[in-house]
Amino acid sequence: MITFAKFFKVNLTVFAGLALSVQAVEAPKHIDVKQLSKKVEDVVVPLPNEVFGALNKLGGVNWREYVRNDKGSNFTERPRIALLLGTVIADGFIAVQAEDAPTVKEIGQRVLGLAKGIGVGNSITPHAKAITEAADKRNWENVRRELDRTQNSVQSAMNEVHDEKLSQLVSLGGWLRGTQVLTTVVNKRYSDEGAELLHQPDLLGYFQTRLAAMPEFNMKLLQDIQAALVEVRPLIDVADGRIPAPAVKRINEITARLDAAIITKSQ
Amino acid sequence: MLSPHRLFNRASFVAALAFLLVSPARASVDDAQSFALQAAEPYVKQGFQIREDYWGGDLGAGEKKAVRQQLFKGNEYWFWMGSEIEKATVSVHIYDSEGKLVEQPDSWQKGHFAAAHVTPTGTGSYFVIVTIEQSPEDRTHWALVYGFR
């Protein structure tokens, strides 16, 4: 057994070691990005609420307009469930922005059902419960955290069983729904700052690369998404980040069409 | 701004705990993540939402790794790096897509903890560069978490 005194001694030793090792190395003011490119890790997919948070700071967003709580279709194909799961989690973040507790709770249950459908329900049961509890208390920070944990747990469970491609589709579904809502908001009241939030060319490139590596998912919906991303890319890949109103409108039309295809059974 | 003293007390406590509970053979990126999260914890009270996802791996002394990250103008970000090797020195810095250092002056580096703070002036891709500056080990686990508000 470790006595407190022994523990304290170790603690002090570690602290002394820490103090001695403090020695800041000044960072270069410029680096050659081209030299780095071979070592660059995959781009990290932001959560929908990262862009919603930035959008919110521009003011005047009535999030209740974008809340969606219909149960939607049920699918059996795992890639479709994965896409829908990402979309529904994004809907959860929208409901949090709108502070709509009943919808948040419904979405928590919907996410659980979809996760079960894809075989990873066990990993998120505690998070679904926590979402309900936090929504009842209107503790929106906790709901956000649990939605993040839900997505993380679902994707970790998928990765553990080597379903990385499904995990990427979850991210893609969330990104498409987030982009649809972002473009709807900016389309209603255009501003350069709002439109600039669409400047995500590397993220788009990441999704294009990932989709191209999924030939085994021979589905019309995925082919449609691939074609749509090819159309969207030049609209957002602008050197100065200034994305004009017609481009925002076009991206909105494209993402709205894809979102409808993801949540309905006709595709 | 974060109090270094407070960080050191908390960090040393966790480091000691990790030292006692985790044998070197079992040390992993997950252990490094716990240190990165420890560095992040005080910022939660300042309203930062810490992402559940994180990046990690192992590097030799002097080696760097770049993570490409989409940042949104209007948000404020902190990136926290940690390693379970307490005698290691790590650093994290943020550059824009042109390779210009863009982090705020309150970014910090203290032994096996480091953090970089950025308020993006434009929406787009940024490079987060993590480095194991010094380490007594051949390979040193590292982890990077980030938060935004």
Side-chain angles (χ1 to χ4, degrees), chain A residues 65-142:
Chain A
E65 282 182 48
Y66 308 103
V67 169
R68 181 164 66 185
N69 60 3
D70 52 49
K71 294 216 186 309
S73 305
N74 288 318
F75 301 104
T76 51
E77 307 100 316
R78 303 178 84 223
R80 293 217 57 173
I81 298 173
L83 276 171
L84 183 58
L85 190 50
T87 303
V88 173
I89 292 172
D91 279 329
F93 283 114
I94 294 165
V96 172
Q97 290 292 137
E99 302 191 347
D100 182 338
T103 300
V104 166
K105 287 158 67 176
E106 282 175 30
I107 285 172
Q109 292 308 305
R110 176 83 171 129
V111 167
L112 182 57
L114 289 168
K116 282 179 179 168
I118 217 166
V120 293
N122 287 344
S123 65
I124 67 151
T125 302
H127 301 310
K129 187 166 175 270
I131 287 171
T132 299
E133 286 172 0
D136 277 335
K137 292 174 186 164
R138 302 179 65 79
N139 185 337
W140 305 117
E141 281 313 307
N142 280 3

Side-chain angles (χ1 to χ4, degrees), chain A residues 59-252:
Chain A
V61 182
N62 178 10
W63 290 101
R64 289 193 174 271
E65 282 182 48
Y66 308 103
V67 169
R68 181 164 66 185
N69 60 3
D70 52 49
K71 294 216 186 309
S73 305
N74 288 318
F75 301 104
T76 51
E77 307 100 316
R78 303 178 84 223
R80 293 217 57 173
I81 298 173
L83 276 171
L84 183 58
L85 190 50
T87 303
V88 173
I89 292 172
D91 279 329
F93 283 114
I94 294 165
V96 172
Q97 290 292 137
E99 302 191 347
D100 182 338
T103 300
V104 166
K105 287 158 67 176
E106 282 175 30
I107 285 172
Q109 292 308 305
R110 176 83 171 129
V111 167
L112 182 57
L114 289 168
K116 282 179 179 168
I118 217 166
V120 293
N122 287 344
S123 65
I124 67 151
T125 302
H127 301 310
K129 187 166 175 270
I131 287 171
T132 299
E133 286 172 0
D136 277 335
K137 292 174 186 164
R138 302 179 65 79
N139 185 337
W140 305 117
E141 281 313 307
N142 280 3
V143 178
R144 280 192 190 95
R145 187 163 54 241
E146 288 302 332
L147 282 168
D148 185 6
R149 285 177 177 165
T150 298
Q151 179 159 331
N152 189 259
S153 295
V154 163
Q155 294 185 295
S156 297
M158 287 172 172
N159 293 341
E160 275 173 24
V161 293
H162 304 293
D163 273 340
E164 288 88 353
K165 291 178 180 178
L166 292 181
S167 170
Q168 290 152 9
L169 290 176
V170 172
S171 296
L172 176 59
W175 182 80
L176 284 169
R177 175 65 174 146
T179 305
Q180 184 210 349
V181 171
L182 168 62
T183 51
T184 305
V185 172
V186 177
N187 203 27
K188 275 189 178 175
R189 200 173 61 183
Y190 180 84
S191 69
D192 287 342
E193 292 81 6
E196 193 194 332
L197 296 173
L198 286 163
H199 186 235
Q200 306 172 28
D202 286 340
L203 207 46
L204 202 79
Y206 165 81
F207 285 128
Q208 286 182 298
T209 307
R210 291 294 173 265
L211 280 170
M214 299 180 188
E216 66 272 40
F217 299 152
N218 187 20
M219 298 172 60
K220 183 175 180 302
L221 176 57
L222 293 186
Q223 290 158 5
D224 287 349
I225 294 173
Q226 267 186 294
L229 295 186
V230 170
E231 190 182 347
V232 168
R233 188 156 189 176
L235 301 175
I236 65 167
D237 196 358
V238 287
D240 59 359
R242 289 177 67 91
I243 299 168
V248 174
K249 186 169 183 288
R250 183 68 193 131
I251 298 165
N252 181 246

Side-chain angles (χ1 to χ4, degrees), chain B:
Chain B
M1 192 180 150
L2 181 70
S3 153
H5 176 72
R6 189 173 157 208
L7 171 69
F8 269 48
N9 276 343
R10 186 172 288 150
S12 60
F13 175 80
V14 174
L17 203 62
F19 178 81
L20 289 168
L21 299 177
V22 181
S23 70
R26 285 180 55 207
S28 70
V29 174
D30 287 345
D31 301 316
Q33 187 215 7
S34 71
F35 285 92
L37 285 172
Q38 200 64 36
E41 192 194 321
Y43 296 83
V44 174
K45 287 172 188 156
Q46 297 174 27
F48 283 90
Q49 299 173 48
I50 314 297
R51 281 287 303 269
E52 285 294 311
D53 214 350
Y54 70 97
W55 306 266
D58 61 80
L59 290 167
E63 284 188 339
K64 295 174 191 295
K65 180 75 96 178
V67 175
R68 199 179 305 184
Q69 176 75 5
Q70 170 74 40
L71 301 182
F72 297 97
K73 183 181 174 182
N75 286 345
E76 180 185 356
Y77 297 86
W78 271 99
F79 292 83
W80 299 278
M81 182 185 179
S83 171
E84 85 282 10
I85 307 297
E86 67 254 30
K87 287 185 178 170
T89 307
V90 304
S91 70
V92 55
H93 298 290
I94 304 175
Y95 294 85
D96 66 14
S97 57
E98 303 297 314
K100 183 185 168 200
L101 186 70
V102 290
E103 66 204 33
Q104 302 285 310
D106 57 350
S107 303
W108 53 266
Q109 178 188 1
K110 296 179 184 77
H112 60 128
F113 300 93
H117 182 202
V118 62
T119 305
T121 54
T123 293
S125 280
Y126 289 75
F127 292 97
V128 184
I129 311 291
V130 298
T131 309
I132 303 295
E133 303 284 356
Q134 296 170 39
S135 177
E137 305 289 334
D138 288 341
R139 305 295 294 175
T140 300
H141 291 118
W142 61 273
L144 179 74
V145 299
Y146 82 97
F148 63 96
R149 70 174 180 186

